[in-house]
């Protein structure tokens, strides 16, 4: 089976590192990273990943806007949003905009993998 290709989007480099670490240890391939929503859309078009993990709160273009733009390009795009505690309203917006699932920071490896596997279905 080919490894699922994942694009990791977060404005914090250490958060991207944490997610990359969890994913690669569990047999997923991180094909790219982006530090903001605009970059995420560019990388999505360039890399055509199987899945995107998308931070909600980022400068310039936030995760929800990036999610909408990616889904406008590819209606079958699979995106999981990452949020801090207490961002329920934003998570609901993201799910309505087409996110497959959400994971809450601080990340728990098993929850991340469960969400990824479920989204890839």
């Amino acid at each position: 089976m080919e490894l699922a290709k994942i694009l990791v989007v977060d404005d914090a480099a250490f958060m991207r590192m944490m997610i990359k670490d969890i994913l690669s240890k569990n047999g997923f391939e991180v094909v790219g990273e982006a530090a903001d929503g605009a970059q995420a859309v560019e990388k999505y078009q360039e890399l055509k990943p199987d899945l995107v993990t998308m931070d909600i709160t980022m400068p310039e273009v936030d995760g929800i806007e990036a999610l909408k733009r990616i889904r406008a390009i590819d209606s079958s795009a699979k995106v999981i949003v990452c949020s801090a505690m207490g961002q329920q309203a934003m998570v609901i917006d993201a799910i309505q905009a087409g996110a497959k699932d959400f994971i809450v920071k601080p990340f728990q490896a098993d929850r991340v993998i469960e969400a990824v596997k479920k989204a890839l279905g």
Side-chain angles (χ1 to χ4, degrees):
M1 195 183 102
E2 202 186 325
L3 295 183
K5 296 193 277 293
I6 301 179
L7 171 63
V8 174
V9 185
D10 199 303
D11 56 325
F14 77 97
M15 281 293 182
R16 294 198 305 271
M17 227 167 71
M18 275 175 66
I19 294 188
K20 265 175 28 183
D21 191 50
I22 293 169
L23 293 170
S24 55
K25 278 185 180 150
N26 285 276
F28 297 99
E29 185 189 354
V30 176
V31 289
E33 295 179 48
D36 63 54
Q39 219 181 13
V41 177
E42 278 172 34
K43 293 266 176 151
Y44 186 87
Q45 289 174 287
E46 180 194 328
L47 302 165
K48 307 270 190 289
D50 299 311
L51 180 79
V52 182
T53 66
M54 178 84 71
D55 185 29
I56 290 185
T57 40
M58 295 183 291
E60 310 296 332
V61 179
D62 70 14
I64 293 173
E65 180 56 35
L67 165 66
K68 288 176 179 165
R69 291 183 192 178
I70 287 172
R71 298 269 307 173
I73 297 161
D74 177 5
S75 59
S76 65
K78 296 182 170 84
V79 181
I80 295 174
V81 291
C82 311
S83 73
M85 286 296 203
Q87 293 183 320
Q88 281 87 344
M90 287 170 112
V91 167
I92 291 166
D93 285 350
I95 300 288
Q96 285 170 340
K100 293 277 179 216
D101 205 343
F102 65 95
I103 44 181
V104 179
K105 297 172 182 177
F107 299 123
Q108 285 162 317
D110 52 356
R111 174 68 192 112
V112 173
I113 297 307
E114 178 196 339
V116 166
K117 284 182 173 163
K118 198 174 101 182
L120 289 167

